[in-house]
Amino acid sequence: MDGLVADLMAEGAELDSLVAELRAAGWEVGTPAAGWTVAHQVSHLAWTDRWTLLAAQDPEGFAAALGREFADGMAAVDQGAAEGVGEEPAALLKRWRAGRAEVARVLAEVPADVRLPWFGPPMKARSMLTARLMETWAHGQDVADALGADRTPTDRLRHIAHLGVRTVGFAFAAHGLPAPTAPIRFELRSPGGELWAWGEEDATDRVSGPALDFCLLVTQRRHPDDLALTAEGDTARAWLPRAQAFAGPPGEGRKPLRRH
């Protein structure tokens, strides 16, 4: 848990470094997420941190708020992202910093066997920390793309890749399809050149390629056509365009960046 908490904090610090010195105009730059500026991205993370704390500290209150605020569907997500758009950037940044630090502290203290409510299936604290890291990295990618910044991939991607593997069944279910019965073998090359693998070695269905590309896929930050991933077998090929490591309805994904 200590290592996971440290990785979550490091992921937050990396995104923080991209926005900390931005002038007001920089916060207004549009990102690849339609209608979302840099401010929307950071505000969304702060909003989600608030939901995380509610889930960990008041599960019944989380359930009540979920029923109330999402009564009209997923519009609440855009509303949460819009909360910080009119806020002074310094105040928004301060609020996000405080929230993410509190999330790390609170989740680290949750008993290992306790499941916390969420927008998807309930999760243990370790999975919740992984999900927060995944979302921080994904929205950080949107900000980096908007600002034209290059990010150096790190071994923190393993957490996101693991979540992508664990959510294969969920990705099919999100599209109204039954969970696959054929096992998939995942073989990914880490940023440092190490092999990361999940699944049965003799599985017929396989997905392989760079871990960075895999993480961009499962967070829907790149179109599959723009990634150096190989899928072998009917199940693996069916999963690739449906991959989704985040809770909620199927995402719209991204348009291809180049022609093929």
Side-chain angles (χ1 to χ4, degrees), residues 48-63 65-66 68-69 117:
T48 313
D49 285 340
R50 192 165 70 242
W51 279 96
T52 304
L53 291 171
L54 185 61
Q57 298 173 321
D58 183 7
E60 292 184 0
F62 176 93
L66 188 67
R68 181 175 62 253
E69 297 193 28

Side-chain angles (χ1 to χ4, degrees), residues 16-106:
D16 197 311
S17 71
L18 290 178
V19 301
E21 302 300 323
L22 285 180
R23 296 184 177 181
W27 289 82
E28 299 173 358
V29 172
T31 69
W36 282 27
T37 63
V38 170
H40 281 87
Q41 298 284 350
V42 175
S43 179
H44 171 74
L45 290 172
W47 174 82
T48 313
D49 285 340
R50 192 165 70 242
W51 279 96
T52 304
L53 291 171
L54 185 61
Q57 298 173 321
D58 183 7
E60 292 184 0
F62 176 93
L66 188 67
R68 181 175 62 253
E69 297 193 28
F70 284 81
D72 296 326
M74 299 301 292
V77 176
D78 285 329
Q79 293 167 5
E83 286 179 359
V85 173
E87 196 171 357
E88 285 293 328
L92 172 57
L93 188 55
K94 181 179 179 180
R95 182 161 60 86
W96 174 50
R97 285 170 174 167
R100 72 180 198 252
E102 185 70 359
V103 163
R105 183 189 68 79
V106 168

